[in-house]
Amino acid sequence: MSRSVEVSVPTPGRARAYRPALTLTPHGRLVLVHADDAPELAPDRAAELERAFARGAGHGLLSLGARHVGSALPPDFAWWRELAARLVTALCARADVAEARSGLTPPEAPADVELEALLRASPLMRGAEYLNVAVLRALWDELGRAFVTELAESGATLAEFLKSLDPAWNVVGRVHFNLAENRRDAEAPFAFLATYTGRLNAGGRAQHQQLGHALKEYAGASNGVSHQNERLLSLLLPVQRAAERCDWLRAMIESGEIFHPLRWSPEEAFRLLGDVPALERAGVVVRMPASWRNGRPARPRVSGTVGTTSPGVLGQDALLDFRADLALDGEPLTEAEVEALLTGTSGLAMLRGQWVEIDRARLESTLARFRAAERLAGEGRLGFAEAMRLLAGADIGGPNIGGATPDGAEAADQDWSNVVAGPWLAERLAGLRSPQGSRQRVHPGRDLRGTLRPYQEAGVRWLHLCSELGLGACLADDMGLGKTIQVLALLLVNRKEKNRTEKNRTEKNRTEKPRADPRAPSLLVAPASLLANWRSELERFAPSLRAQIVHPSAMGAEEISSITPSSFAGTDLVITSYGSLLRIPALESTVWDLVVLDEAQAIKNPGAKQTRAVKKLRARARIALTGTPIENRLGDLWSLFDFLLPGLLGSQKEFARYTKRLASGPAGSHGPLRELVRPYILRRLKSDRAVIADLPEKTEVKAWCALGRAQAALYKAGVDELARRIGDTEGIQRRGLVLAFLMRFKQICNHPSQWLGDGAWDEKDSGKLARLRELAEVIAARQEKLLIFTQFRAVTDPLSAFLGRIFGRPGLVLHGETPVKKRQELVARFQEDETVPFFVLSLKAGGTGLNLTAAAHVVHFDRWWNPAVENQATDRAFRIGQKRNVLVHKFVCRGTVEEKIDALIESKKQLARGVLEGGAEVDLTALGDAELLRLVALDLGAAGGE
């Protein structure tokens, strides 16, 4: 996992890599952090950005958008720079730019439609799941305030301040190059005129004048010649800067033609059109004929339609139809028109009564690629992955259609082509992209012992549609939104459908390749620390599912070694761990109905043995579950999709080359990649409006933990010792002995080192630490905060050190020895400093009186056998002022006294002599010997782990 910490100023002379990254926090704050996997930046540039972001996000954005114009930046920086540059550009367009000073009103944010378009083009980056229009508007306002502040600090005019930021913003008045149609002139059907904005007219509007007039206006009186000459030079500077890149403009300046109206041929107008980006970067405003939409003439576009009819085979092996056309404004061109365009020259041409832009080479190459795809489809060789890449416009690799595409050509191709989904494919993609609006109705019925919330019902429909189509699906809901119950509901739905079709099975829409029998079980692969959780959730929500856990914690060594594919007959679900895949060959040789990966980030490393083992599994469809954002790292995304939909993102090398092009491309280059993977990822956040209204404010879940081998041995030895000694004591001595052993069992369940006092605290020796890592890694990736309670002072420091390694930065610790004066300081830091990721508290010291609403997660590492005390601790986060749903994780070791006491508290049933003292505290000292030993006895089958 990458480390994210606040960037610090480097010590002079000390070599270090500058790897800053921009992160959007859950509160919508844009911060600069250090990340080991971020691209390296030049030290001076990184230091300047660090200083700016230290003042706030607005100042950081201003630095990006105004001081780093034209600089090569990583994709996330370049995208944020584009947002900031829009505000600076709007300020440059002010008619009073030469006179305006501090106190000006920043420009209003762009319309929602513009911001939504910007969002769709955002690259994959940290915190992308928190990005929305409201956040962009807030950051725009913060940027505007920062601009006003820095302008006031400079004491300069707006023009002078812009010039100090970067020469590209040096505008006193704006020069406009205006192109207009003149159809009455057959030889020169275009007119060119250079104008400028020198002042406001009486109505307060910008007054445009012919550029030649500036020579007279700025000639000046004898007492102001120098000032007027400076104004003229400032006015013409953008034109001169543009002339350095445009030879035709330089010639016009040298001849003086720039100051007069000109008649232009189509070739001259096309020359201007091609240099618009260079002119605008230099500060010149270019205005095109009003009839040209978006400032450009119409273009004939190569149009492709894929998936008009249902393929003969569903899933990743589907072969789709494809049709290619050359169209203008959506209307196909005739063969004669196509031939005329392709045999003519590039430039502007009159077609169907309007001027159109022609790039003959681009049209030829794009049309050739699309027609090659059309031929492949006609021959039954256009695969699903290539068709989806064509549809998204993501030129990653795969079959060579029409020759190789040169680097950098992809973005240009999209300007001259588009691919749309035909009726059959469009209907399926609509269901994948918007499961909440799907007309499909699936429900597990009474076999599900629970009620699905509306967003969970939508999730089950989506998973069912994906698996029905034989496509991979990544359910990436936030932690606490119920991914488990959605998968169990899907398995129940599938079992109902299998039972209905059992008597009349057909092989419609299937190939002859090995595939799952309709009666085949599904396979669930999870970290070993989560197997107990799945067993518990099965018993709770879907007890009718016939499940088999294939793992040393549930089976003996001989039983495991004798497993064959036939061992799974009559089973609905087989559950195993990632490690077991490497040791049990039958899991690989079986053809499954579904393969489900829990905590699918476990396969983010494509070279790892367990990743390779997972990808060898065969199934009708594959599902990945993760609460960790997959938008943050492109390498992780490839490895995940190499499991879900092999080939969709090309080979690892092809994807690496593609992402390298994206990183060096313009802002918005990541749009096609997002579009390509979007149908197969369902991500809902606890902050989503549709989800918030449907969630309780507090969700409590059990985090079931297995015992490590050392824990199990120590626990069993403790039970044996208690059995020997309990019969020889009575009265207060017996009570003391029972309490001492109960404390001993609690300590062993936490970690052997707590009982032994050896100071080792090795992660592999504790099932609770393994489970805590699973949770903390997701919470860290989500940039959320964690409270963790323990009743033991000795546990606080080891927990803090352990979590510090996971989060990549330290948290806070509070216990009985923390001075009273320091407690409020710690609370304030946790509440106000977003860089503080966790707070470890002893239950007695931190269980009451503190307001810790910055946390969205509460972990009870060990259980205080008094529900009221636990609830008081939980309410440090779940209280007035909390704006998010709180997820409470209660750690319980399977097969131990912890599990039995938990069940006792949940059921609120009393044993023969009563065990809930006063309805709250669990009193076990009053139990008889036999009852007590049954309570603390170790169930090795349930408690064991790897």
Side-chain angles (χ1 to χ4, degrees), residues 695-700 871 874-875 878 884-888:
L695 278 180
E697 293 175 323
K698 179 174 68 174
T699 303
E700 296 188 353
N871 291 337
T874 296
D875 288 348
F878 179 58
R884 289 159 298 173
N885 295 288
V886 175
L887 189 57
V888 184

Side-chain angles (χ1 to χ4, degrees), residues 2 76 121 239 328 345 392 400 416 441 510 515-516 568 572 611 630 638 650 653 682 733 740 787 826 855 869 926:
S2 68
D76 53 344
V239 181
L328 180 65
T345 59
N400 184 7
W416 294 90
R441 290 291 176 263
R510 305 296 180 193
R515 56 169 299 277
F568 309 132
D572 296 315
T611 303
I630 63 172
W638 180 86
K653 288 184 178 179
L682 182 59
Q733 184 182 10
L787 297 182
L826 293 175
V869 174

Side-chain angles (χ1 to χ4, degrees), residues 167 172 249 307 374 473 671 722 756 771 778 919:
V172 175
L249 180 56
E374 190 175 51
L722 176 62
L756 297 174
R771 187 69 185 98
V778 175

